[in-house]
């Protein structure tokens, strides 16, 4: 069985310009995903898919192979699923066919090797189509999330037949994280989105589930890295 790791990193981040190569505790953000993939002896290759020459250069410096992505697959509105398909087609053509696809987004620098291994193991043991990563949600549509009505008043987002007086009594919900996606190549090629198939998940604690979108996320991630004496 051949498994390849992929990191998808556009150059046009609006929330935090040059985010993917911004120095996080002295190292480019993307290097954390490359390094944790390299620390595992399960990937035949590690690829970075990008439209940016600067990201490509940094990625090569840290030992990743680069897939230059077409501009139409690197806009704010282009579905990442199509970038996944583009990467698979490129790798199959240039490196040969493979079985398993693992995405390690650059925006989750605090994942560890165990998170990746658990996702791949769960994918294999469950015989599912894809394994995603989740973390406990801080808010609940059954308890402390609301929607605005046409009259301008608020109501709870999802009504429950139960009387809920504490968030802990509401159904347990999770946020999808960008820690890891482990899936089968055929699933990506034959379906249109994650939830078109049989989906399983691994749970990741909040301190490893930080997803960097803006400067506040970046500062928080850096404080965690320094506090945890993180190594990558």
């Amino acid at each position: 069985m051949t498994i390849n790791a992929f990191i998808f990193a556009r150059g046009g981040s609006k929330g935090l310009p040059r985010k993917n190569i911004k120095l996080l505790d002295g190292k480019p953000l993307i290097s954390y995903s490359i390094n944790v993939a390299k620390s595992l002896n399960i990937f035949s290759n590690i690829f970075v898919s990008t439209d940016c020459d600067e990201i490509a250069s940094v990625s090569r410096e840290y030992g990743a192979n680069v897939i230059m992505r077409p501009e139409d697959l690197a806009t704010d509105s282009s579905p990442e699923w199509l970038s996944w398909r583009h990467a698979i087609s490129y790798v199959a053509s240039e490196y040969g066919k493979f079985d398993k696809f693992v995405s390690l987004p650059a925006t989750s620098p605090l994942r560890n090797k165990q998170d990746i291994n658990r996702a791949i193991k769960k994918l294999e043991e469950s015989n599912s189509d894809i394994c995603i990563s989740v973390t406990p949600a801080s808010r609940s549509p059954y308890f402390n999330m609301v929607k605005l009505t046409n009259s301008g008043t608020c109501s709870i987002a999802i009504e429950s037949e139960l009387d809920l007086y504490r968030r802990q009594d509401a159904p347990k919900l999770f946020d999808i994280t960008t820690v890891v996606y482990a899936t089968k190549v055929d699933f990506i090629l034959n379906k249109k989105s994650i939830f078109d198939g049989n989906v399983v998940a691994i749970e990741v604690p909040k301190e490893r589930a930080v997803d960097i979108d803006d400067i506040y996320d970046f500062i928080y991630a850096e404080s965690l890295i320094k506090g945890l004496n993180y190594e990558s």
Side-chain angles (χ1 to χ4, degrees), residues 3-91:
I3 308 176
N4 287 321
F6 294 83
I7 302 159
F8 295 84
R10 296 189 305 115
S13 172
K14 292 182 178 179
L16 185 60
R18 301 179 73 247
K19 171 177 65 179
N20 290 306
I21 52 174
K22 184 176 176 63
L23 296 184
L24 179 69
D25 195 31
K27 293 179 287 189
L29 176 60
I30 198 168
S31 72
Y32 288 84
S33 292
I34 296 172
N35 286 343
V36 74
K38 287 170 61 179
S39 72
L40 293 161
N41 295 317
I42 57 176
F43 297 121
S44 298
N45 292 285
I46 301 166
F47 297 97
V48 170
S49 168
T50 186
D51 62 318
C52 173
D53 290 336
E54 195 172 10
I55 292 175
S57 178
V58 171
S59 299
R60 292 189 183 101
E61 179 184 341
Y62 279 87
N65 299 303
V66 172
I67 302 169
M68 293 308 296
R69 197 189 317 178
E71 289 184 8
D72 64 313
L73 294 181
T75 67
D76 290 335
S77 58
S78 57
E80 184 150 311
W81 195 262
L82 297 183
S83 297
W84 287 12
R85 285 185 175 179
H86 172 264
I88 288 170
S89 296
Y90 174 87
V91 171

